Amino acid sequence: NRVRVVWLVSIRANSKEIRDRYYKTFKSNGIDARLFFYPLSDMDIYKKYCKSYSLNSHKIFETGINLPTYEDINQIDKIMKVISEVH
C-alpha cells in the first residue's frame, strides 16, 4: 500500500527579471516549473471580498516559481543545476 503525498515546492527570486530567467531556463531544459498563482484579490470573483490591498501578495507572485513535484520525479539534479547556474 502507498499513500499519495501532495505538496508544493517553491522558490523565490530576488526580482521579477531573475524569476523570468529561471522560468525560461527551466522550460528550455524540459522542466515543468510554473509561475506562482496570482493573488486572489485580483480575480473578479473575489474582488468584492478583498478589504485591503496587499503589496506582499503581488511581490510574492512576481518573484515565485513552483517546482515540479510528482511521485516519480527524476529531474532533481537538472533542477538544481538550473538553480545554481541562474543564481
Side-chain angles (χ1 to χ4, degrees), residues 10 24 34 43 54:
S10 306
K24 182 179 176 183
R34 309 279 174 106
M43 298 173 68
S54 172

Side-chain angles (χ1 to χ4, degrees), residues 12-75:
R12 281 190 58 211
N14 290 331
S15 69
K16 183 180 184 306
E17 293 75 23
I18 295 171
R19 185 233 23 206
D20 292 345
R21 278 200 322 243
Y22 275 118
Y23 184 70
K24 182 179 176 183
T25 307
F26 283 133
K27 290 298 184 184
S28 68
N29 281 279
I31 298 168
D32 187 27
R34 309 279 174 106
L35 301 179
F36 264 27
F37 304 104
Y38 53 91
L40 290 176
S41 60
D42 287 357
M43 298 173 68
D44 288 338
I45 192 169
Y46 296 112
K47 282 184 180 180
K48 65 183 176 185
Y49 301 108
C50 183
K51 296 189 182 341
S52 66
Y53 180 80
S54 172
L55 293 177
N56 288 333
S57 62
H58 285 256
K59 183 171 179 82
I60 291 169
F61 161 67
E62 291 175 355
T63 59
I65 297 176
N66 297 314
L67 300 176
T69 52
Y70 46 91
E71 295 162 358
D72 63 343
I73 188 167
N74 59 4
Q75 297 180 313

